Amino acid sequence: MIVYEATKGEFLSDVFNDKLVGNIIANFNAKVGKINENEVRSWDRSMQYMYRVLMDREIPDNAGVAIEFKIPYTSRRVDFMISGWADSHGAVVIIELKQWDTVEAVYGKEAIVRTVFQHGMAETIHPSYQAWSYATLIRDYNENVQTGSIDLFPCAYLHNYSKQEKNDPLTDPIYRYYINEAPVFVKGQSADLRNFIKRYIKYGDNKENLYKIENGKLRPSKSLQDCLSRMLQGNEEFRMIDDQKIVFEEALAMARNAVRTRKKHVLIVKGGPGTGKSVLAINLLVQLTKMGMVCQYVTKNAAPRHVYAAKLKQDFRKGNIDNLFKSSGSYVDAPRDEFDVLIVDEAHRLNEKSGMFQNLGENQIKEIIHASKTSIFFIDEFQQVTLKDAGSVSEIMRFADAEQALTNVMVLESQFRCNGSDGYLAWIDDVLQLRETANTEFDLDYDFRVFDDPNELRNEIVERNKKNNKSRIVAGYCWNWTKESKNNPNIHDITIDEFDFKMSWNLGNTETWAIDENSVNEAGCIHTCQGLEFDYVGVIIGDDLYFQDGQVKTDYKKRARTDSSLKGLNSLLKQDPERALQLADRIIRNTYRTLLTRGQKGCFVFCTDNNLSAYLKSRLKGQQRVTYQLYASQSKQHSKLLAAEGKADYKVDR
């Protein structure tokens, strides 16, 4: 979709006669909807600069001009495009326009800079990367471009930015690759930008190539398909076994049927920790893309998206992969059936509203089903860890029925984590008093230890990590993650004075803590590790979980003030205290259930509460009889008291 489309001559006339912005606004309101006043001001200013650039007789009057081209399957819009012919090939110059006058380089993150926005300095992507990624997206999904009939030439133009004579942050060597792919022009370089355009736009096309791009058949490119396939070949981490393969084939069949019958399909896949939900999701993403379908991997939590994208990338560039991985709030305004398949991992983390202020859209489940021919939801309702987590099987079914979708529910039974047994998970559920299990006795070759000193736990995890960088320390969110510590490893968030233990939360200058080198020295929280797994995990249980009077109890007041998991609880306490306490209790227990099931080979634990530590040790020996309150997590009924005898003969690998 193009908001404004004209020849160069018509564009110049509209600017000269002060008609351009009015035409853009009218078209925007008709094609997109509500307009942002900041955008209006940007058009008014930036188009004056483009007017001056295009005032050159050597740029053909009948060259095409497009403003605000929405790239299909994304929310991204290209600021400015000029089309024409370069000898026998169509040519389109893509220009990313910025009004920045200040830039700071950001080290440790790919293609990120800092600049001034309305509320101060903030991080954003480098303009050259942005222009390059737009060209990459169009190449990857537009058949007319893929056939080679149209060449794309991206660049960026910061008309207010004055380049520094030495060590200019905008052109820092860390951005060299993207600047080479998409040159950046600044204040005083309008002639250079003009020459860049003239190099590729030699003859006018009367907007023909813009038409081809706007109306080209949409499909993933062969190069994208092949690259994804190569990345999975021989990668043991993504190999499917047992019932994963059964679900995989059913998902493929449903996706093919949805395209053939034009009938929506919804697949719900239930499975606990370690059942291979994420492995299956990634395999489906690759295979469906290989089949020529447009699909995306979707999560609420950013950590799995970034980690799996990084694992797939290898030597493939960031922009080629990132469009395959999206946040759950990306589909608020998506047209019906825009995507062939949306694959939703960690569906229990879906929210109702989207946006920074939770003020966009109606319901993420509804929007995802609406936007895709086939929706695949991987879900474990025992991993809901915030008050805003609204993903449930019943809600998915409700919205699927509203869309008249064909629905199937499947279950992943096999437990791949914890050395191939679901016995550990059942034991953890019983220990945390989430549910009564029949699994009172089992013998499992799994390394579970309770440490009396957090320093000893850390030393053990660090030692294990030396082998393959697959061991990490995580903690309950009982320590504040301060602004000052987010990029400073010398400021320690987690302190346990009794043991002179100090550790920082994961640093904020990375999105891939789970696989970064040296991040074993930082503690992850629920938000950085959910949906991911390690060989060994060290879990620090804070004061929000304790043992008293024969019961495992929770205390929401011990959570850190910087934790947003229980945001809104105080209001709910006033309205319905019993329900509020029930929800807070369940979230805390679910959080530790998730943390304690991240390790494939072992889990090491330290508790700030000595009684809880003694209780865990007693459960290892099968000695502890408990009476506890069990909350029914899959229904709206009030909690009920149950009695359970916890007996477990448990092998400890020391």
Side-chain angles (χ1 to χ4, degrees), residues 244-256:
Q244 287 179 322
K245 181 66 172 172
I246 297 172
V247 176
F248 178 78
E249 293 298 334
E250 176 64 17
L252 296 183
M254 291 182 72
R256 287 192 293 263

Side-chain angles (χ1 to χ4, degrees), residues 447-484:
D447 193 355
F448 187 96
R449 310 185 201 179
V450 181
F451 285 77
D452 295 325
D453 187 330
N455 293 291
E456 294 179 4
L457 180 150
R458 176 166 54 190
N459 293 339
E460 191 68 36
I461 290 294
V462 169
E463 188 64 30
R464 299 280 180 166
N465 191 63
K466 291 178 180 178
K467 181 179 179 180
N468 55 9
N469 192 35
K470 290 186 177 180
S471 299
R472 291 294 182 273
I473 294 174
V474 298
Y477 211 153
C478 297
W479 294 268
N480 291 321
W481 190 29
T482 62
K483 183 179 180 181
E484 294 75 20

Side-chain angles (χ1 to χ4, degrees), residues 307-549:
V307 169
Y308 287 124
K311 288 181 177 182
L312 284 178
K313 275 172 203 170
Q314 298 178 5
D315 59 351
F316 213 33
R317 280 286 164 180
K318 179 178 168 54
N320 299 84
I321 294 296
D322 284 358
N323 191 57
L324 298 171
F325 295 83
K326 292 294 182 180
S327 76
S328 55
S330 302
Y331 308 97
V332 171
D333 298 317
R336 179 180 174 85
D337 293 343
E338 183 175 27
F339 298 88
D340 292 315
V341 186
L342 292 178
I343 304 162
V344 187
D345 204 0
E346 305 289 317
H348 40 270
R349 295 298 315 277
L350 295 175
N351 294 164
E352 290 186 350
K353 302 284 187 177
S354 300
M356 183 178 295
F357 304 104
Q358 299 288 294
N359 61 345
L360 300 177
E362 179 183 349
N363 186 289
Q364 291 182 349
I365 298 172
K366 179 181 180 180
E367 290 151 8
I368 288 167
I369 295 175
H370 178 79
S372 56
K373 299 180 182 75
T374 299
S375 308
I376 304 171
F377 296 90
F378 293 93
I379 190 167
D380 177 7
E381 291 173 314
F382 280 106
Q383 289 195 55
Q384 293 174 327
V385 295
T386 80
L387 285 180
K388 293 178 181 177
D389 291 353
S392 66
V393 173
S394 61
E395 282 293 274
I396 297 170
M397 295 286 288
R398 182 167 73 89
F399 287 115
D401 289 343
E403 289 276 2
Q404 298 182 327
L406 296 175
T407 306
N408 190 8
V409 181
M410 303 184 75
V411 180
L412 288 170
E413 299 284 1
S414 301
Q415 180 66 229
F416 303 104
R417 189 178 289 133
C418 309
N419 276 356
S421 174
D422 62 357
Y424 175 70
L425 179 60
W427 182 78
I428 285 292
D429 285 352
D430 196 78
V431 166
L432 293 176
Q433 300 172 1
L434 272 163
R435 63 186 177 102
E436 184 180 12
T437 69
N439 189 31
T440 58
E441 295 184 5
F442 65 92
D443 188 357
L444 181 65
D445 185 18
Y446 182 70
D447 193 355
F448 187 96
R449 310 185 201 179
V450 181
F451 285 77
D452 295 325
D453 187 330
N455 293 291
E456 294 179 4
L457 180 150
R458 176 166 54 190
N459 293 339
E460 191 68 36
I461 290 294
V462 169
E463 188 64 30
R464 299 280 180 166
N465 191 63
K466 291 178 180 178
K467 181 179 179 180
N468 55 9
N469 192 35
K470 290 186 177 180
S471 299
R472 291 294 182 273
I473 294 174
V474 298
Y477 211 153
C478 297
W479 294 268
N480 291 321
W481 190 29
T482 62
K483 183 179 180 181
E484 294 75 20
S485 69
K486 288 187 175 182
N487 293 309
N488 188 347
N490 297 317
I491 299 178
H492 301 113
D493 309 287
I494 302 172
T495 58
I496 305 175
D497 295 337
E498 180 183 356
F499 299 94
D500 193 27
F501 178 85
K502 298 177 181 179
M503 201 167 187
S504 298
W505 288 117
N506 56 283
L507 298 181
N509 62 353
T510 180
E511 298 168 328
T512 51
W513 165 85
I515 58 175
D516 288 344
E517 297 290 336
N518 301 317
S519 65
V520 70
N521 300 309
E522 307 157 14
C525 71
I526 184 65
H527 308 299
T528 52
C529 72
Q530 190 171 25
L532 302 170
E533 62 182 26
F534 312 100
D535 279 358
Y536 293 87
V537 63
V539 183
I540 299 174
I541 299 178
D543 291 344
D544 59 342
L545 193 74
Y546 64 102
F547 190 77
Q548 187 181 68
D549 300 327

Side-chain angles (χ1 to χ4, degrees), residues 485-627:
S485 69
K486 288 187 175 182
N487 293 309
N488 188 347
N490 297 317
I491 299 178
H492 301 113
D493 309 287
I494 302 172
T495 58
I496 305 175
D497 295 337
E498 180 183 356
F499 299 94
D500 193 27
F501 178 85
K502 298 177 181 179
M503 201 167 187
S504 298
W505 288 117
N506 56 283
L507 298 181
N509 62 353
T510 180
E511 298 168 328
T512 51
W513 165 85
I515 58 175
D516 288 344
E517 297 290 336
N518 301 317
S519 65
V520 70
N521 300 309
E522 307 157 14
C525 71
I526 184 65
H527 308 299
T528 52
C529 72
Q530 190 171 25
L532 302 170
E533 62 182 26
F534 312 100
D535 279 358
Y536 293 87
V537 63
V539 183
I540 299 174
I541 299 178
D543 291 344
D544 59 342
L545 193 74
Y546 64 102
F547 190 77
Q548 187 181 68
D549 300 327
Q551 295 183 5
V552 176
K553 296 183 178 182
T554 64
D555 185 353
Y556 73 90
K557 295 179 181 178
K558 300 298 184 180
R559 298 296 283 264
R561 66 175 184 274
T562 55
D563 177 28
S564 61
S565 301
L566 298 176
K567 188 176 181 180
L569 183 66
N570 289 333
S571 298
L572 188 58
L573 280 166
K574 296 176 182 178
Q575 301 168 12
D576 189 344
E578 184 177 3
R579 174 170 167 75
L581 292 173
Q582 178 182 336
L583 287 172
D585 180 274
R586 188 182 71 192
I587 285 168
I588 293 172
R589 293 176 197 264
N590 283 354
T591 296
Y592 283 113
R593 178 188 191 261
T594 302
L595 297 180
L596 291 164
T597 54
R598 295 305 92 190
Q600 290 182 301
K601 298 178 180 179
C603 177
F604 307 150
V605 181
F606 171 81
C607 309
T608 58
D609 178 59
N610 291 332
N611 291 332
L612 182 62
S613 182
Y615 164 69
L616 291 178
K617 291 177 182 178
S618 72
R619 287 303 305 264
L620 285 174
K621 299 175 183 178
Q623 296 176 348
Q624 182 68 43
R625 179 185 292 271
V626 296
T627 302

Side-chain angles (χ1 to χ4, degrees), residues 111-370:
I112 300 297
V113 296
R114 284 171 57 85
T115 190
V116 177
F117 290 97
Q118 188 176 358
H119 301 292
M121 293 289 290
E123 292 184 355
T124 187
I125 57 177
H126 192 282
S128 288
Y129 171 84
Q130 193 170 352
W132 171 83
S133 67
Y134 290 169
T136 299
L137 279 171
I138 296 170
R139 290 190 193 103
D140 281 343
Y141 288 95
N142 192 291
E143 188 174 48
N144 285 333
V145 177
Q146 295 162 16
T147 58
S149 61
I150 302 174
D151 294 324
L152 305 179
F153 305 97
C155 67
Y157 183 29
L158 283 68
H159 46 74
N160 293 335
Y161 181 81
S162 298
K163 189 174 181 180
Q164 299 179 20
E165 291 185 7
K166 293 184 178 180
N167 302 320
D168 182 73
L170 183 66
T171 55
D172 189 284
I174 61 175
Y175 308 120
R176 182 175 292 124
Y177 175 88
Y178 300 107
I179 293 174
N180 288 339
E181 294 293 317
V184 58
F185 304 97
V186 299
K187 187 175 183 179
Q189 294 183 339
S190 56
D192 295 331
L193 173 57
R194 179 183 290 173
N195 290 333
F196 180 82
I197 295 170
K198 290 193 294 185
R199 188 185 311 164
Y200 304 110
I201 308 297
K202 297 181 179 180
Y203 312 99
D205 66 346
N206 286 306
K207 305 180 292 185
E208 180 182 342
N209 290 303
L210 294 178
Y211 178 86
K212 288 180 179 179
I213 287 179
E214 187 175 24
N215 296 282
K217 183 179 178 181
L218 300 173
R219 68 169 190 183
S221 67
K222 185 67 164 57
S223 62
L224 180 62
Q225 297 173 34
D226 292 344
C227 283
L228 287 174
S229 297
R230 287 198 302 272
M231 290 172 189
L232 285 193
Q233 289 175 4
N235 193 331
E236 293 290 330
E237 185 175 355
F238 294 105
R239 178 171 293 180
M240 296 182 296
I241 59 176
D242 296 343
D243 53 353
Q244 287 179 322
K245 181 66 172 172
I246 297 172
V247 176
F248 178 78
E249 293 298 334
E250 176 64 17
L252 296 183
M254 291 182 72
R256 287 192 293 263
N257 286 337
V259 173
R260 178 176 57 83
T261 64
R262 299 184 179 180
K263 176 79 174 176
K264 279 187 180 295
H265 287 58
V266 173
L267 175 61
I268 302 170
V269 184
K270 299 165 60 176
T275 51
K277 297 187 299 295
S278 296
V279 169
L280 181 51
I282 296 299
N283 273 275
L284 284 170
L285 175 70
V286 172
Q287 182 60 34
L288 289 165
T289 302
K290 189 177 179 181
M291 291 164 57
M293 295 191 187
V294 178
C295 57
Q296 292 179 338
Y297 171 98
V298 183
T299 61
K300 162 66 168 62
N301 193 11
R305 295 198 306 272
H306 294 307
V307 169
Y308 287 124
K311 288 181 177 182
L312 284 178
K313 275 172 203 170
Q314 298 178 5
D315 59 351
F316 213 33
R317 280 286 164 180
K318 179 178 168 54
N320 299 84
I321 294 296
D322 284 358
N323 191 57
L324 298 171
F325 295 83
K326 292 294 182 180
S327 76
S328 55
S330 302
Y331 308 97
V332 171
D333 298 317
R336 179 180 174 85
D337 293 343
E338 183 175 27
F339 298 88
D340 292 315
V341 186
L342 292 178
I343 304 162
V344 187
D345 204 0
E346 305 289 317
H348 40 270
R349 295 298 315 277
L350 295 175
N351 294 164
E352 290 186 350
K353 302 284 187 177
S354 300
M356 183 178 295
F357 304 104
Q358 299 288 294
N359 61 345
L360 300 177
E362 179 183 349
N363 186 289
Q364 291 182 349
I365 298 172
K366 179 181 180 180
E367 290 151 8
I368 288 167
I369 295 175
H370 178 79

